[in-house]
Amino acid sequence: MTTINKTQKQIAIIGGGPGGLTLALILQRHGIKATVYEREAQDANGQRGGSLDIHEDSGQMALKEAGLLEQFHAIARYEGEDFRLFDKSGKIYMDERAEAGETGGRPEIDRGTLCGLLLQDLLPDTIRYGYKLTEAIPLEGGRHELHFDNGETATVDLVIGADGAFSKLRPLLTDAKASYAGLTMVELHVDAEANPEQVAFNARGKVFALDDHKGILAQLNGDGKIKVYLTFTAEQSWLDTCGIPFDQPKEAKRQLLDYFGDWSEELQNYIRLSEELVLPRRIYMLPVGLKWEHKSGITLIGDAAHLMSPFAGEGVNLAMRDAAELALAIADHEDMNQAVAAYERKMYDYSSHSAKDSDSNLKLMFSENAAVKLKALFDRLHAEFAQ
Ligand SMILES: Cc1cc2nc3c(=O)[nH]c(=O)nc-3n(C[C@H](O)[C@H](O)[C@H](O)COP(=O)(O)OP(=O)(O)OC[C@H]3O[C@@H](n4cnc5c(N)ncnc54)[C@H](O)[C@@H]3O)c2cc1C
């Protein structure tokens, strides 16, 4: 195993999502330079999904290491912790409201705003846009030669895959592949200002309506939209075979409404009132508890390491915790490969707990009587927390 002087080592981070940006920033705060290679032409985090709750022991811990915790607290939406749970008839099972001035452990922030915070403190030239990794070739001594779609190459001492669900680097470490999780979502948006009644129904945070192995999951974002995920238990091919013309939003909405024909008026209104943007997506996951044999000069963080369904609300939090754990390990160890191995051991432990939770939540939320079961789960967790 080679020992590399920290000031000389070349570190490449593939992917400028929340994980990659957090890693680069914490390394920077420890005087360690890294380069982030991002395939998009510019920051695209604002266009990718909505509000995220940032947990105290993971996402917020990483923001503290990045020197951004105070700024985060100043803009985070604590009222975004409101939570309402329904079945299809509109019967309400939970109605939790964050009190004014309350500072809970899981405040909300939009993905674009969070990544904007991280980007503003990164030194110029840390991030290179328009660099899509096409190949990484292992060399002697743990170094890797990286090839990008723009013809550029780089040879580095450590390459970190922060490149998400379909990581290009993962196959160098494991044969495991992201597989379809049995769920397909259709994302819709309701304009909050134009639909005050729907906002009143939704409250300031999340609504889960669960029944018949389906769901309407809605969340008020900081950008004035309610983001709605219609969620279907379905075969992987369903989007191709269901006949819904997703490129014709009016007709797509009409057909989607048919799937919720016996759901309450207020719940159907999430579809009826939505804008002409209908975004279908399949949900994928990696095997729960995935590990790989440590290799010199390469590792993974975030979704690249432990992609899971979104039902533990942990994805972005884990990506940021991984970033903090890896950066701190690199800063603490003389030998970079020992640092990476120490990070990997720790990450396997905490991420496998979240992956198990996420998988069992997915099964519960789309089973018979899901609203009753989810309420019972929350009651049990609240009771455990109170002890
Ligand atoms: C519908 C949905 C809802 C979700 N809701 C939540 C939630 O409420 N809370 C939560 O914590 N998590 C949620 N998640 C999960 C969360 O979005 C992810 O876990 C998180 O974004 C992972 O961060 P990351 O940095 O590892 O990867 P990503 O955010 O996926 O970033 C990867 C980056 O790598 C870049 N990239 C990819 N390939 C290459 C390449 N070859 N070369 C260069 N760059 C590349 C991409 O462009 C991207 O910028 C949700 C996910 C989905 C699908």
Side-chain angles (χ1 to χ4, degrees):
M1 205 177 275
T2 39
T3 304
I4 300 155
N5 181 322
K6 261 183 235 170
T7 54
Q8 294 170 2
K9 67 195 171 189
Q10 304 273 341
I11 301 178
I13 300 168
I14 309 301
L21 296 178
T22 307
L23 176 59
L25 186 53
I26 302 178
L27 286 173
Q28 177 182 298
R29 280 173 59 86
H30 287 270
I32 302 166
K33 184 170 164 39
T35 303
V36 179
Y37 295 96
E38 166 58 49
R39 70 178 168 195
E40 302 292 341
Q42 58 195 9
D43 180 45
N45 286 293
Q47 286 107 62
R48 282 197 197 125
S51 188
L52 301 162
D53 52 342
I54 303 299
H55 304 175
E56 214 160 4
D57 55 356
S58 46
Q60 290 185 49
M61 175 280 265
L63 285 168
K64 183 165 180 233
E65 294 298 337
L68 291 171
L69 194 58
E70 273 185 30
Q71 283 187 62
F72 167 75
H73 282 311
I75 55 173
R77 299 193 312 279
Y78 290 89
E79 71 282 5
E81 292 194 72
D82 285 0
F83 177 63
R84 311 188 85 199
L85 173 63
F86 298 90
D87 65 13
K88 68 176 178 182
S89 73
K91 179 175 169 189
I92 188 156
Y93 291 80
M94 292 177 66
D95 192 7
E96 294 190 342
R97 305 290 175 121
E99 299 295 329
E102 191 176 324
T103 53
R106 297 179 162 208
E108 297 275 339
I109 189 167
D110 286 6
R111 183 187 300 257
T113 313
L114 173 69
C115 290
L117 268 186
L118 294 161
L119 278 168
Q120 82 188 3
D121 279 8
L122 276 174
L123 290 172
D125 216 26
T126 301
I127 177 152
R128 308 227 169 120
Y129 290 107
Y131 279 73
K132 179 178 179 184
L133 182 78
T134 52
E135 197 181 7
I137 301 168
L139 305 174
E140 286 291 301
R143 285 166 69 79
H144 286 80
E145 188 178 284
L146 309 178
H147 292 251
F148 299 93
D149 66 342
N150 57 9
E152 298 280 330
T153 59
T155 301
V156 298
D157 301 301
L158 174 62
V159 59
I160 298 147
D163 50 346
F166 301 100
S167 169
K168 195 80 192 162
L169 286 173
R170 191 191 298 130
L172 291 181
L173 290 166
T174 167
D175 292 336
K177 290 191 172 60
S179 63
Y180 178 62
L183 282 188
T184 294
M185 288 180 158
V186 179
E187 186 180 324
L188 305 171
H189 302 90
V190 174
D191 184 75
E193 203 180 352
N195 297 288
E197 282 179 17
Q198 201 62 19
V199 174
F201 175 77
N202 188 92
R204 302 160 300 175
K206 288 192 189 82
V207 163
F208 282 10
L210 304 172
D211 227 322
D212 296 344
H213 309 277
K214 293 196 285 271
I216 297 179
L217 315 178
Q219 186 176 37
L220 183 63
N221 281 225
D223 63 355
K225 304 275 182 214
I226 304 176
K227 219 171 245 291
V228 184
Y229 298 102
L230 307 181
T231 309
F232 300 88
T233 313
E235 295 291 316
Q236 185 165 4
S237 58
W238 181 73
L239 284 178
D240 307 316
T241 58
C242 65
I244 301 176
F246 290 101
D247 55 347
Q248 298 166 39
K250 266 201 182 71
E251 176 58 16
K253 278 169 53 179
R254 196 191 62 70
Q255 293 193 24
L256 285 165
L257 208 45
D258 285 347
Y259 283 89
F260 296 90
D262 58 347
W263 289 47
S264 83
E265 195 71 10
E266 289 102 331
L267 293 170
Q268 289 181 351
N269 280 343
Y270 281 114
I271 305 171
R272 235 177 246 123
L273 300 173
S274 66
E275 297 172 338
E276 308 281 280
L277 180 67
V278 180
L279 303 172
R281 68 167 69 149
R282 299 180 179 94
I283 300 297
Y284 290 86
M285 61 187 279
L286 280 167
V288 172
L290 175 67
K291 293 182 185 176
W292 55 84
E293 199 179 315
H294 171 76
K295 287 200 177 136
S296 289
I298 179 167
T299 194
L300 306 174
I301 66 169
D303 279 5
H306 41 60
L307 177 70
M308 57 191 77
S309 72
F311 301 107
E314 292 280 9
V316 85
N317 287 287
L318 288 179
M320 293 171 74
R321 175 161 181 196
D322 292 351
E325 299 285 0
L326 178 57
L328 296 178
I330 292 172
D332 282 353
H333 287 74
E334 267 314 307
D335 182 322
M336 200 158 57
N337 283 308
Q338 281 178 11
V340 170
Y343 149 74
E344 286 170 344
R345 280 192 299 276
K346 203 166 173 186
M347 177 272 289
Y348 294 144
D349 185 45
Y350 60 74
S351 67
S352 63
H353 290 294
S354 303
K356 271 186 209 130
D357 285 350
S358 177
D359 196 38
S360 70
N361 290 350
L362 180 154
K363 288 179 179 129
L364 182 149
M365 284 173 63
F366 299 97
S367 64
E368 286 297 325
N369 293 323
V372 176
K373 289 181 191 159
L374 189 61
K375 159 93 168 82
L377 174 66
F378 273 105
D379 286 349
R380 212 166 49 242
L381 293 174
H382 285 168
E384 278 172 26
F385 189 68
Q387 275 172 10

